[in-house]
Amino acid sequence: VLLLDGAAAGTGSALVKHGLTASRLFSPNVVPTVAWSLRRQGYCSWAGQIEKYLKQPLVKHMDLVYLDHTGAFPCRAAQIWDIFRQGIVNTEGGGGLIAVTFSTREAPFPEAPEDEGSGKAASPGCGMPWRPVLPSGWSRAHAVYSLFKILVAAAAEA
């Protein structure tokens, strides 16, 4: 299971309570002390960015990828592409599950994958082969539509 979690390990604790072992939980965190805290709780955790992990050569398929973000979707849209491009979610047998949470606030799509979070506007060839064409403005509906369209497009290309 690949997930984002904090020092309190709320998500991981719930998964362990329902039968997963903590050692099956892979959780990078950009804060070294949080990664250390998660390792003390039995997680496979390290100080690092999820974006970089998703671009690495595949080591193991995951049955569950849970990206619990508090930020806006557009700056993290390339993560969805990477999950499918890299084959991170198990598609054999019973398949795998992708769960994501994002804020619905407005943010620009990144110009290139390495620009994620930089605030730069997206342009063609931004590392995502496709991004939604949206009417002007931004609303919760725009955010949900963008996520849905990118999930479908990324899965179709996998």
Side-chain angles (χ1 to χ4, degrees), residues 31-119:
V31 180
T33 56
V34 172
W36 177 81
S37 174
L38 293 171
R39 279 193 309 276
R40 284 192 46 177
Q41 296 174 64
Y43 281 48
C44 179
S45 185
W46 63 97
Q49 296 177 313
I50 189 71
E51 296 86 355
K52 291 187 178 173
Y53 179 82
L54 293 174
K55 292 185 184 317
Q56 297 299 316
L58 180 66
V59 174
K60 181 179 184 341
H61 291 291
M62 300 288 172
D63 295 320
L64 169 64
V65 174
Y66 179 33
L67 303 180
D68 185 12
H69 286 294
T70 56
F73 171 67
C75 343
R76 294 163 181 87
Q79 293 176 15
I80 302 296
W81 286 103
D82 291 336
I83 289 169
F84 285 100
R85 278 186 189 143
Q86 300 292 83
I88 291 172
V89 173
N90 186 8
T91 57
E92 302 298 320
L97 177 68
I98 299 172
V100 293
T101 58
F102 297 100
S103 163
T104 57
R105 69 179 176 265
E106 184 174 12
F109 281 90
E111 191 171 308
E114 59 273 4
D115 293 330
E116 288 180 45
S118 71

Side-chain angles (χ1 to χ4, degrees), residues 30 67 136 143:
V30 295
L67 303 180
S136 62

Side-chain angles (χ1 to χ4, degrees), residues 8-41:
T11 302
S13 296
L15 293 171
V16 168
K17 183 178 176 181
H18 285 88
L20 286 174
T21 57
S23 62
R24 289 193 57 212
L25 304 177
F26 292 80
S27 186
N29 197 293
V30 295
V31 180
T33 56
V34 172
W36 177 81
S37 174
L38 293 171
R39 279 193 309 276
R40 284 192 46 177
Q41 296 174 64

